[in-house]
Coordinates of all heavy atoms in Angstrom, one line a residue:
M1 N 1.8 -45.2 25.0 CA 0.9 -44.1 24.6 C -0.5 -44.5 24.8 O -0.9 -45.6 24.7 CB 1.1 -43.9 23.1 CG 2.4 -43.4 22.6 SD 2.5 -43.2 20.9 CE 2.5 -41.5 20.7
S2 N -1.3 -43.5 25.1 CA -2.7 -43.7 25.3 C -3.4 -43.9 24.0 O -2.9 -43.5 22.9 CB -3.3 -42.5 26.1 OG -3.4 -41.4 25.3
Q3 N -4.6 -44.5 24.0 CA -5.3 -44.7 22.8 C -5.6 -43.4 22.1 O -5.6 -43.4 20.8 CB -6.6 -45.5 23.1 CG -7.3 -46.0 21.9 CD -6.4 -47.0 21.0 OE1 -5.7 -47.8 21.6 NE2 -6.5 -46.9 19.7
K4 N -5.9 -42.4 22.8 CA -6.2 -41.1 22.2 C -5.0 -40.6 21.4 O -5.2 -40.1 20.3 CB -6.7 -40.1 23.3 CG -7.1 -38.7 22.7 CD -7.5 -37.8 23.8 CE -8.1 -36.5 23.4 NZ -7.3 -35.8 22.4
K5 N -3.9 -40.7 22.0 CA -2.7 -40.2 21.3 C -2.4 -41.0 20.0 O -2.1 -40.5 19.0 CB -1.5 -40.3 22.2 CG -1.4 -39.2 23.3 CD -0.1 -39.3 24.1 CE -0.1 -38.2 25.1 NZ 1.2 -38.3 25.9
V6 N -2.7 -42.3 20.1 CA -2.5 -43.2 19.0 C -3.5 -42.8 17.9 O -3.1 -42.7 16.7 CB -2.6 -44.6 19.4 CG1 -2.6 -45.5 18.1 CG2 -1.5 -45.0 20.3
D7 N -4.7 -42.6 18.2 CA -5.7 -42.2 17.3 C -5.4 -40.9 16.6 O -5.6 -40.7 15.4 CB -7.1 -42.2 17.9 CG -7.6 -43.6 18.3 OD1 -7.1 -44.6 17.7 OD2 -8.5 -43.7 19.2
D8 N -5.0 -39.9 17.4 CA -4.6 -38.6 16.9 C -3.4 -38.7 15.9 O -3.4 -38.0 14.9 CB -4.2 -37.6 18.1 CG -5.4 -37.2 18.9 OD1 -6.6 -37.3 18.4 OD2 -5.2 -36.7 20.0
Y9 N -2.5 -39.5 16.3 CA -1.3 -39.7 15.4 C -1.7 -40.3 14.1 O -1.3 -39.9 13.0 CB -0.2 -40.5 16.1 CG 0.9 -40.8 15.2 CD1 1.9 -39.8 15.0 CD2 1.1 -42.1 14.6 CE1 3.0 -40.1 14.2 CE2 2.2 -42.3 13.8 CZ 3.1 -41.3 13.6 OH 4.2 -41.6 12.7
K10 N -2.6 -41.3 14.1 CA -3.0 -42.0 12.9 C -3.8 -41.0 12.0 O -3.7 -41.0 10.8 CB -3.9 -43.2 13.3 CG -3.1 -44.4 13.7 CD -3.9 -45.6 14.0 CE -3.1 -46.7 14.5 NZ -4.0 -47.9 14.8
E11 N -4.7 -40.2 12.7 CA -5.5 -39.2 11.9 C -4.6 -38.2 11.3 O -4.7 -37.8 10.1 CB -6.5 -38.6 12.9 CG -7.4 -37.6 12.1 CD -8.3 -36.9 13.1 OE1 -8.6 -37.4 14.1 OE2 -8.8 -35.8 12.7
Q12 N -3.6 -37.7 12.0 CA -2.6 -36.7 11.5 C -1.8 -37.3 10.4 O -1.6 -36.7 9.4 CB -1.7 -36.2 12.6 CG -0.8 -35.1 12.1 CD 0.1 -34.6 13.3 OE1 0.4 -35.3 14.2 NE2 0.5 -33.3 13.1
K13 N -1.4 -38.6 10.5 CA -0.6 -39.2 9.5 C -1.5 -39.4 8.2 O -1.0 -39.2 7.1 CB -0.1 -40.6 10.0 CG 0.8 -41.2 9.0 CD 1.4 -42.5 9.6 CE 2.3 -43.2 8.6 NZ 2.9 -44.4 9.1
A14 N -2.7 -39.7 8.4 CA -3.6 -40.0 7.2 C -3.9 -38.6 6.5 O -4.0 -38.6 5.3 CB -4.9 -40.6 7.7
N15 N -3.9 -37.5 7.2 CA -4.3 -36.2 6.6 C -3.0 -35.3 6.5 O -3.2 -34.1 6.4 CB -5.3 -35.5 7.5 CG -6.6 -36.3 7.5 OD1 -7.0 -36.9 6.6 ND2 -7.3 -36.2 8.7
R16 N -1.9 -35.9 6.5 CA -0.7 -35.1 6.5 C -0.5 -34.3 5.3 O -0.1 -33.1 5.3 CB 0.6 -36.0 6.6 CG 1.8 -35.3 6.8 CD 3.0 -36.2 7.2 NE 2.7 -36.6 8.6 CZ 3.3 -37.7 9.2 NH1 4.0 -38.5 8.5 NH2 3.0 -38.0 10.4
K17 N -0.9 -34.8 4.1 CA -0.8 -34.0 2.9 C -1.7 -32.8 2.9 O -1.3 -31.7 2.5 CB -1.1 -34.9 1.6 CG -0.1 -35.8 1.3 CD -0.4 -36.6 0.0 CE 0.7 -37.6 -0.3 NZ 0.4 -38.4 -1.5
Q18 N -2.9 -33.0 3.4 CA -3.9 -31.8 3.4 C -3.4 -30.8 4.5 O -3.5 -29.6 4.2 CB -5.3 -32.3 3.8 CG -6.0 -33.1 2.7 CD -5.7 -34.6 2.8 OE1 -5.0 -35.0 3.7 NE2 -6.2 -35.3 1.8
I19 N -2.9 -31.3 5.6 CA -2.4 -30.4 6.6 C -1.2 -29.6 6.1 O -1.1 -28.4 6.3 CB -2.0 -31.2 7.9 CG1 -3.3 -31.8 8.5 CG2 -1.3 -30.3 8.9 CD1 -3.0 -32.8 9.6
M20 N -0.3 -30.3 5.4 CA 0.9 -29.6 4.9 C 0.5 -28.6 3.9 O 1.1 -27.4 3.8 CB 1.9 -30.6 4.3 CG 2.5 -31.5 5.3 SD 3.6 -30.7 6.5 CE 5.0 -30.4 5.5
R21 N -0.5 -28.9 3.0 CA -0.9 -28.0 2.0 C -1.6 -26.8 2.6 O -1.3 -25.6 2.2 CB -2.0 -28.7 1.1 CG -2.4 -27.9 -0.1 CD -3.3 -28.7 -1.0 NE -3.8 -27.9 -2.1 CZ -5.0 -27.3 -2.1 NH1 -5.8 -27.4 -1.1 NH2 -5.3 -26.6 -3.2
K22 N -2.4 -26.9 3.6 CA -3.0 -25.8 4.3 C -1.9 -24.9 5.0 O -2.0 -23.7 4.9 CB -4.0 -26.3 5.4 CG -5.3 -26.8 4.8 CD -6.2 -27.3 5.9 CE -7.4 -27.9 5.4 NZ -8.3 -28.4 6.4
E23 N -0.9 -25.5 5.6 CA 0.2 -24.7 6.2 C 0.9 -23.9 5.1 O 1.3 -22.8 5.4 CB 1.1 -25.6 6.9 CG 0.5 -26.2 8.2 CD 1.4 -27.1 9.0 OE1 2.6 -27.2 8.6 OE2 1.0 -27.7 10.0
R24 N 1.2 -24.5 4.0 CA 1.9 -23.8 2.9 C 1.0 -22.7 2.4 O 1.6 -21.6 2.1 CB 2.2 -24.8 1.7 CG 3.4 -25.6 2.0 CD 3.8 -26.3 0.7 NE 2.7 -27.2 0.2 CZ 2.7 -28.5 0.2 NH1 3.8 -29.1 0.5 NH2 1.7 -29.1 -0.3
I25 N -0.3 -22.9 2.2 CA -1.1 -21.8 1.8 C -1.2 -20.7 2.8 O -1.1 -19.5 2.4 CB -2.6 -22.4 1.5 CG1 -2.5 -23.2 0.2 CG2 -3.6 -21.2 1.3 CD1 -3.8 -24.0 0.0
K26 N -1.3 -21.0 4.1 CA -1.3 -20.0 5.1 C 0.0 -19.2 5.1 O 0.0 -18.0 5.2 CB -1.5 -20.6 6.5 CG -2.9 -21.1 6.8 CD -3.0 -21.7 8.2 CE -4.3 -22.2 8.5 NZ -4.4 -22.8 9.8
T27 N 1.1 -19.9 4.9 CA 2.4 -19.2 4.9 C 2.5 -18.3 3.7 O 3.0 -17.2 3.8 CB 3.6 -20.3 4.8 OG1 3.5 -21.1 6.0 CG2 4.9 -19.6 4.8
L28 N 2.0 -18.8 2.5 CA 2.1 -18.0 1.3 C 1.2 -16.7 1.5 O 1.6 -15.6 1.1 CB 1.6 -18.8 0.1 CG 1.6 -18.1 -1.2 CD1 3.0 -17.7 -1.6 CD2 1.0 -19.0 -2.3
V29 N 0.0 -16.9 2.0 CA -0.9 -15.8 2.2 C -0.3 -14.8 3.2 O -0.3 -13.5 3.0 CB -2.3 -16.2 2.7 CG1 -3.1 -15.1 3.2 CG2 -3.0 -17.0 1.6
R30 N 0.3 -15.3 4.3 CA 0.9 -14.4 5.3 C 2.0 -13.6 4.6 O 2.2 -12.4 4.8 CB 1.4 -15.2 6.4 CG 1.9 -14.4 7.6 CD 2.4 -15.3 8.8 NE 1.3 -16.1 9.2 CZ 1.4 -17.5 9.3 NH1 2.5 -18.1 8.9 NH2 0.4 -18.2 9.7
R31 N 2.9 -14.2 3.8 CA 4.0 -13.5 3.1 C 3.5 -12.5 2.2 O 4.1 -11.4 2.1 CB 4.9 -14.5 2.4 CG 5.8 -15.3 3.4 CD 6.7 -16.2 2.6 NE 7.5 -17.0 3.5 CZ 8.3 -18.0 3.1 NH1 8.4 -18.3 1.8 NH2 9.0 -18.6 4.0
C32 N 2.4 -12.8 1.4 CA 1.8 -11.8 0.5 C 1.3 -10.6 1.2 O 1.5 -9.5 0.8 CB 0.7 -12.5 -0.3 SG 1.4 -13.7 -1.6
V33 N 0.6 -10.9 2.3 CA 0.0 -9.7 3.1 C 1.1 -8.9 3.7 O 1.1 -7.6 3.6 CB -0.9 -10.3 4.2 CG1 -1.3 -9.2 5.2 CG2 -2.1 -10.9 3.6
V34 N 2.2 -9.5 4.2 CA 3.3 -8.7 4.8 C 4.0 -8.0 3.6 O 4.4 -6.8 3.8 CB 4.3 -9.7 5.5 CG1 5.6 -9.0 5.9 CG2 3.6 -10.2 6.8
G35 N 4.2 -8.6 2.5 CA 4.8 -7.9 1.4 C 4.0 -6.7 0.9 O 4.6 -5.7 0.6
V36 N 2.7 -6.9 0.8 CA 1.9 -5.7 0.4 C 1.9 -4.6 1.4 O 2.0 -3.4 1.0 CB 0.4 -6.2 0.1 CG1 -0.5 -5.0 0.0 CG2 0.3 -7.1 -1.1
L37 N 1.9 -5.0 2.7 CA 2.0 -3.9 3.7 C 3.3 -3.2 3.7 O 3.4 -2.0 3.8 CB 1.7 -4.5 5.1 CG 0.3 -5.0 5.4 CD1 0.2 -5.7 6.7 CD2 -0.7 -3.8 5.3
A38 N 4.4 -4.0 3.5 CA 5.7 -3.4 3.4 C 5.8 -2.5 2.2 O 6.4 -1.4 2.3 CB 6.8 -4.5 3.3
L39 N 5.3 -2.9 1.1 CA 5.3 -2.1 -0.1 C 4.5 -0.8 0.1 O 5.0 0.3 -0.3 CB 4.8 -2.9 -1.3 CG 4.8 -2.2 -2.7 CD1 6.3 -2.0 -3.1 CD2 4.2 -3.1 -3.7
A40 N 3.4 -0.9 0.7 CA 2.6 0.3 1.0 C 3.3 1.2 1.9 O 3.3 2.5 1.7 CB 1.2 -0.1 1.6
L41 N 4.0 0.7 2.9 CA 4.7 1.5 3.9 C 5.9 2.2 3.2 O 6.1 3.4 3.4 CB 5.3 0.6 5.0 CG 6.1 1.4 6.1 CD1 5.2 2.3 6.9 CD2 6.7 0.4 7.0
V42 N 6.6 1.5 2.4 CA 7.7 2.1 1.6 C 7.2 3.2 0.7 O 7.8 4.3 0.6 CB 8.5 1.1 0.9 CG1 9.5 1.7 -0.1 CG2 9.3 0.2 1.9
G43 N 6.1 2.9 0.0 CA 5.5 3.9 -0.9 C 5.1 5.2 -0.2 O 5.3 6.3 -0.6
W44 N 4.4 5.0 1.0 CA 4.0 6.1 1.8 C 5.1 6.9 2.3 O 5.1 8.2 2.2 CB 3.1 5.6 3.0 CG 2.6 6.7 3.9 CD1 1.8 7.6 3.6 CD2 3.0 6.9 5.2 NE1 1.6 8.4 4.7 CE2 2.3 8.0 5.7 CE3 3.9 6.2 6.1 CZ2 2.5 8.5 7.0 CZ3 4.1 6.7 7.3 CH2 3.4 7.8 7.8
I45 N 6.2 6.3 2.7 CA 7.4 7.0 3.2 C 8.0 7.8 2.1 O 8.4 9.0 2.2 CB 8.4 6.1 3.9 CG1 7.8 5.6 5.2 CG2 9.7 6.7 4.1 CD1 8.6 4.5 5.9
G46 N 8.1 7.1 0.9 CA 8.7 7.8 -0.3 C 7.9 9.0 -0.7 O 8.4 10.1 -1.0
F47 N 6.6 8.8 -0.7 CA 5.7 10.0 -1.1 C 5.8 11.1 -0.1 O 5.9 12.3 -0.5 CB 4.2 9.5 -1.1 CG 3.3 10.6 -1.4 CD1 3.1 11.1 -2.7 CD2 2.5 11.2 -0.4 CE1 2.2 12.1 -3.0 CE2 1.6 12.2 -0.7 CZ 1.5 12.7 -2.0
S48 N 5.9 10.8 1.2 CA 6.0 11.8 2.2 C 7.3 12.6 2.1 O 7.4 13.8 2.2 CB 6.0 11.2 3.6 OG 4.7 10.6 3.8
V49 N 8.4 11.9 1.8 CA 9.7 12.5 1.6 C 9.7 13.4 0.4 O 10.1 14.6 0.5 CB 10.8 11.5 1.5 CG1 12.1 12.1 1.0 CG2 11.0 10.8 2.8
I50 N 9.1 13.0 -0.7 CA 9.1 13.8 -1.9 C 8.2 15.0 -1.7 O 8.5 16.1 -2.1 CB 8.6 12.9 -3.1 CG1 9.7 11.9 -3.5 CG2 8.2 13.8 -4.3 CD1 9.2 10.9 -4.5
D51 N 7.0 14.8 -1.0 CA 6.1 15.9 -0.8 C 6.7 16.9 0.1 O 6.6 18.1 -0.1 CB 4.8 15.3 -0.1 CG 3.8 16.4 0.0 OD1 3.6 17.1 -1.0 OD2 3.1 16.5 1.0
S52 N 7.4 16.5 1.2 CA 8.0 17.5 2.1 C 9.2 18.2 1.4 O 9.4 19.4 1.6 CB 8.6 16.8 3.4 OG 9.6 15.9 3.1
H53 N 9.9 17.5 0.5 CA 11.0 18.2 -0.3 C 10.4 19.2 -1.2 O 10.9 20.3 -1.4 CB 11.8 17.2 -1.0 CG 12.8 17.7 -1.9 ND1 14.0 18.3 -1.4 CD2 13.0 17.9 -3.2 CE1 14.7 18.8 -2.4 NE2 14.1 18.5 -3.5
A54 N 9.2 18.9 -1.9 CA 8.6 19.8 -2.8 C 8.0 21.0 -2.1 O 8.0 22.1 -2.6 CB 7.5 19.1 -3.6
R55 N 7.6 20.9 -0.9 CA 7.1 22.0 -0.1 C 8.2 23.0 0.3 O 7.9 24.2 0.4 CB 6.4 21.5 1.2 CG 5.1 20.9 0.9 CD 4.4 20.5 2.3 NE 3.2 19.7 2.0 CZ 2.5 19.2 3.0 NH1 2.9 19.2 4.2 NH2 1.4 18.5 2.7
N56 N 9.4 22.5 0.4 CA 10.5 23.4 0.8 C 11.1 24.2 -0.3 O 11.9 25.1 -0.1 CB 11.6 22.6 1.5 CG 11.1 22.1 2.9 OD1 10.2 22.6 3.5 ND2 11.7 21.0 3.3
Q57 N 10.7 23.8 -1.6 CA 11.3 24.5 -2.7 C 10.5 25.8 -3.0 O 9.3 25.9 -2.7 CB 11.1 23.6 -4.0 CG 11.9 22.3 -3.9 CD 13.4 22.5 -3.7 OE1 13.9 23.3 -4.4 NE2 14.0 21.7 -2.9
P58 N 11.3 26.8 -3.4 CA 10.6 28.1 -3.7 C 9.6 27.9 -4.9 O 9.9 27.2 -5.8 CB 11.7 29.0 -4.1 CG 12.8 28.1 -4.5 CD 12.7 26.9 -3.7
R59 N 8.5 28.5 -4.8 CA 7.5 28.4 -5.8 C 7.6 29.6 -6.8 O 8.0 30.7 -6.5 CB 6.1 28.5 -5.2 CG 5.8 27.3 -4.3 CD 4.4 27.4 -3.8 NE 4.2 26.3 -2.9 CZ 3.0 26.0 -2.4 NH1 2.0 26.7 -2.7 NH2 2.9 25.0 -1.6
A60 N 7.4 29.2 -8.1 CA 7.4 30.2 -9.1 C 6.2 31.1 -9.0 O 5.1 30.7 -8.9 CB 7.5 29.6 -10.5
V61 N 6.4 32.4 -9.1 CA 5.3 33.4 -9.0 C 5.1 34.0 -10.4 O 6.1 34.5 -11.1 CB 5.7 34.5 -8.0 CG1 4.6 35.5 -8.0 CG2 5.9 33.9 -6.7
A62 N 3.9 33.9 -10.9 CA 3.6 34.4 -12.2 C 2.9 35.8 -12.0 O 2.0 35.9 -11.2 CB 2.6 33.5 -12.9
E63 N 3.4 36.7 -12.8 CA 2.8 38.1 -12.7 C 2.0 38.3 -14.0 O 2.5 38.0 -15.1 CB 3.9 39.1 -12.6 CG 4.6 39.0 -11.2 CD 5.6 40.2 -11.0 OE1 5.5 41.2 -11.7 OE2 6.5 40.0 -10.2
V64 N 0.8 38.8 -13.9 CA 0.0 39.0 -15.1 C -0.1 40.5 -15.2 O -0.5 41.3 -14.3 CB -1.4 38.4 -14.9 CG1 -2.2 38.6 -16.1 CG2 -1.2 36.9 -14.7
D65 N 0.1 41.0 -16.4 CA 0.0 42.4 -16.7 C -1.4 42.7 -17.4 O -1.7 42.3 -18.5 CB 1.1 42.8 -17.7 CG 1.1 44.3 -18.0 OD1 0.5 45.1 -17.2 OD2 1.7 44.7 -19.0
F66 N -2.2 43.4 -16.6 CA -3.6 43.7 -17.0 C -3.7 45.1 -17.7 O -4.8 45.6 -17.9 CB -4.6 43.6 -15.9 CG -4.8 42.2 -15.4 CD1 -4.3 41.8 -14.2 CD2 -5.5 41.3 -16.1 CE1 -4.5 40.5 -13.7 CE2 -5.7 40.0 -15.7 CZ -5.2 39.6 -14.5
D67 N -2.6 45.7 -18.0 CA -2.6 47.1 -18.5 C -3.3 47.1 -19.8 O -4.1 48.1 -20.1 CB -1.2 47.6 -18.7 CG -0.5 47.9 -17.3 OD1 -1.3 48.1 -16.3 OD2 0.7 48.0 -17.3
G68 N -3.1 46.2 -20.7 CA -3.8 46.2 -22.0 C -5.3 46.0 -21.9 O -6.0 46.7 -22.6
I69 N -5.7 45.2 -21.0 CA -7.2 44.9 -20.8 C -7.8 46.2 -20.2 O -8.9 46.6 -20.5 CB -7.4 43.7 -19.9 CG1 -6.9 42.5 -20.7 CG2 -8.9 43.5 -19.6 CD1 -6.9 41.2 -19.9
T70 N -7.1 46.8 -19.2 CA -7.6 48.0 -18.5 C -7.7 49.1 -19.5 O -8.7 49.8 -19.5 CB -6.6 48.4 -17.4 OG1 -6.5 47.3 -16.5 CG2 -7.2 49.5 -16.6
D71 N -6.7 49.3 -20.4 CA -6.8 50.3 -21.4 C -7.9 50.1 -22.4 O -8.7 51.0 -22.7 CB -5.5 50.4 -22.2 CG -4.3 50.9 -21.3 OD1 -4.6 51.5 -20.3 OD2 -3.2 50.7 -21.7
Y72 N -8.1 48.8 -22.8 CA -9.2 48.5 -23.7 C -10.6 48.8 -23.0 O -11.5 49.3 -23.7 CB -9.1 47.0 -24.1 CG -10.3 46.6 -24.9 CD1 -10.4 47.0 -26.2 CD2 -11.2 45.7 -24.4 CE1 -11.5 46.5 -27.0 CE2 -12.3 45.2 -25.2 CZ -12.4 45.7 -26.5 OH -13.5 45.2 -27.2
L73 N -10.7 48.4 -21.8 CA -12.0 48.7 -21.1 C -12.2 50.2 -20.9 O -13.4 50.6 -21.0 CB -12.0 47.9 -19.7 CG -12.1 46.4 -19.8 CD1 -12.0 45.8 -18.4 CD2 -13.4 46.0 -20.4
N74 N -11.2 50.9 -20.6 CA -11.3 52.4 -20.5 C -11.7 53.0 -21.8 O -12.5 54.0 -21.9 CB -10.0 53.0 -20.0 CG -9.8 52.7 -18.6 OD1 -10.7 52.4 -17.8 ND2 -8.5 52.8 -18.1
T75 N -11.2 52.5 -23.0 CA -11.6 53.0 -24.3 C -13.1 52.7 -24.6 O -13.8 53.5 -25.2 CB -10.7 52.5 -25.4 OG1 -10.8 51.1 -25.4 CG2 -9.3 53.0 -25.2
L76 N -13.6 51.6 -24.1 CA -15.0 51.2 -24.3 C -15.9 52.1 -23.5 O -17.0 52.4 -23.9 CB -15.3 49.8 -23.9 CG -14.6 48.7 -24.8 CD1 -14.9 47.3 -24.3 CD2 -15.2 48.8 -26.2
Q77 N -15.5 52.5 -22.3 CA -16.3 53.3 -21.4 C -16.3 54.8 -21.8 O -17.2 55.5 -21.4 CB -15.8 53.1 -19.9 CG -16.1 51.8 -19.4 CD -15.5 51.6 -18.0 OE1 -14.9 52.5 -17.5 NE2 -15.7 50.4 -17.4
E78 N -15.4 55.2 -22.6 CA -15.3 56.7 -22.9 C -16.3 57.1 -24.0 O -17.0 56.6 -24.7 CB -13.9 57.0 -23.4 CG -12.9 57.0 -22.3 CD -11.5 57.3 -22.8 OE1 -11.3 57.6 -24.0 OE2 -10.6 57.3 -22.0

């Protein structure tokens, strides 16, 4: 082995705990980000399905009878 390889190996061996800790943290952060994105995607798809289903349902129509108000206003104007 060349001296550079030996020095690199010794440095890596001396810092192995820190390197492994950084790799675990990177892995954990990556999994959290992917999990949040997956959760957002599933929520968005679920909302879209519910919204499209609600749009296809017939809407209730409310009818307002203004005859009483019209009669009252007519009696005031007379």
